[in-house]
Amino acid sequence: MKKLNKVQSIIVFTFLVSIAMSAIMSFGLLLVRVGWHEGFLKTWFFDYFLVDLWLSIPTGFTVVPLLKKFVDSISKESH
């Protein structure tokens, strides 16, 4: 299996983290807000998760690099 280069791995990582965070947060918040009911998964997936993706993916590609740059700037370099 071909390994990803550094840029590709950052893109895949950010994409997967954005999807996972959107799924977990929207599921948890909806569950707390309305509770479990018949059709919950359908409501969550179509009305919350898929809608939230349009915001979570671009946010991930914006926020992750900025936070990494910030953390790197306040971290000690180990050379």
Side-chain angles (χ1 to χ4, degrees), residues 4-52:
L4 301 175
N5 65 37
K6 185 171 180 158
V7 172
Q8 291 170 327
S9 66
I10 291 169
I11 291 169
V12 170
F13 175 77
T14 303
F15 187 74
L16 292 176
V17 167
S18 297
I19 290 171
M21 289 299 294
S22 179
I24 293 165
M25 293 298 293
S26 63
F27 186 91
L29 290 171
L30 183 63
L31 186 60
V32 167
R33 196 171 354 160
V34 301
W36 189 264
H37 58 83
E38 187 176 331
F40 177 88
L41 291 176
K42 182 179 176 186
T43 300
W44 163 72
F45 188 77
F46 290 107
D47 297 340
Y48 288 85
F49 175 64
L50 290 181
V51 173
D52 290 347

